[in-house]
């Protein structure tokens, strides 16, 4: 319910930015729309929004938003069955994040790459990706990435018959999970933060629109004064 509400708010913000022809705002809103749609289990809508976000982010020169959108597009496209294309997009997002030192997004990209590889049977590739994710996430205390990576590694170890390693990894997952209360609480927090961010963006967009209207009115008044002279 929280994510569905967040999606509605993102759509409102997107429409507002489009009405203002605010390219950077449109890129941000589309990227957020893609992320929320993916979390809601709507990969087709997520892929469409993410591709649009990439285009607008490039126009705006927003590297961070473009990077996030590219990774989301990769996740969604892979889930839709185009695995090679999805992996290619995530690798591109990884390369860009490394170049521009986007460390937390980079850790998340490796986690998502690992999930795709694990799902498609490349277990060693998945293990390597998870190792990269943890190497980045642990020093930064990126708990969401850590929690989910430990869980994925635990499931991977169990599937390979290494019960002791699987148990130890699950304990680590559970320890981090307790720190952030629970997976459900983490998702609710994420949805709440998304809503708060959207409300902030909408407020800024409204201010921008009012300033634009005031400027246009001032220019019009100035033109009248000049005409009357």
């Amino acid at each position: 319910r929280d994510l569905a509400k967040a999606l509605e708010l993102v759509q409102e913000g997107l429409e507002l930015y489009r009405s203002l022809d605010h390219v950077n705002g449109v890129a941000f809103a589309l990227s957020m729309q893609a992320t929320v749609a993916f979390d809601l289990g709507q990969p087709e809508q997520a892929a469409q929004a993410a591709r649009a976000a990439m285009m607008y982010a490039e126009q705006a020169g927003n590297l961070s938003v473009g990077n996030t959108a590219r990774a989301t597009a990769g996740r969604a496209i892979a889930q839709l069955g185009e695995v090679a294309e999805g992996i290619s997009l995530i690798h591109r997002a990884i390369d860009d994040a490394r170049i521009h030192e986007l460390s937390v997004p980079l850790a998340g990209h490796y986690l998502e790459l690992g999930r795709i590889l694990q799902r498609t049977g490349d277990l060693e590739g998945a293990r390597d990706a998870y190792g990269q994710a943890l190497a980045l996430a642990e020093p930064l205390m990126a708990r969401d990435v850590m929690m989910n990576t430990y869980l994925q590694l635990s499931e991977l170890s169990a599937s390979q018959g290494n019960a002791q390693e699987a148990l130890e990894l699950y304990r680590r997952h559970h320890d981090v999970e307790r720190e952030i209360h629970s997976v459900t609480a983490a998702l609710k927090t994420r949805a709440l933060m998304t809503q708060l961010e959207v409300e902030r963006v909408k407020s800024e967009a409204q201010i921008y629109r009012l300033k634009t209207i005031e400027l246009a009115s001032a220019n019009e008044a100035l033109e009248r004064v000049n005409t009357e002279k």
Side-chain angles (χ1 to χ4, degrees), residues 204-224:
E204 289 182 357
Q206 291 282 14
I207 292 170
Y208 176 84
R209 182 168 64 178
L210 288 172
K211 286 182 177 179
T212 302
I213 293 170
E214 288 174 2
L215 180 61
S217 298
N219 287 337
E220 185 180 342
L222 184 59
E223 286 176 8
R224 284 202 303 270

Side-chain angles (χ1 to χ4, degrees), residues 93-209:
I94 286 171
D95 291 342
D96 289 346
R98 184 180 291 111
I99 290 169
H100 298 292
E101 299 181 344
L102 304 172
S103 299
V104 174
L106 179 57
H109 299 341
Y110 273 117
L111 168 60
E112 296 305 333
L113 175 62
R115 280 174 166 159
I116 295 170
L117 294 174
Q118 183 175 353
R119 191 168 66 244
T120 55
D122 183 357
L123 302 187
E124 291 310 310
R127 185 177 289 276
D128 180 66
Y130 293 145
Q132 296 276 11
L134 287 175
L136 289 159
E138 288 177 337
L140 297 170
M141 292 302 291
R143 289 183 176 84
D144 188 57
V145 175
M146 291 166 59
M147 178 184 70
N148 287 299
T149 303
Y150 287 138
L151 180 61
Q152 293 296 140
L153 275 169
S154 176
E155 293 174 356
L156 179 56
S157 295
S159 72
Q160 294 178 317
N162 194 335
Q164 185 174 352
E165 182 182 61
L167 180 59
E168 175 57 29
L169 286 163
Y170 186 79
R171 283 174 178 161
R172 293 185 192 178
H173 156 77
H174 186 61
D175 287 344
V176 178
E177 183 182 48
R178 282 189 304 179
E179 290 178 13
I180 56 178
H181 307 297
S182 67
V183 173
T184 302
L187 287 173
K188 285 185 177 180
T189 300
R190 181 178 180 182
L192 177 59
M193 293 303 293
T194 299
Q195 290 182 38
L196 291 173
E197 181 65 11
V198 170
E199 291 293 353
R200 181 189 67 79
V201 168
K202 284 171 62 181
S203 176
E204 289 182 357
Q206 291 282 14
I207 292 170
Y208 176 84
R209 182 168 64 178

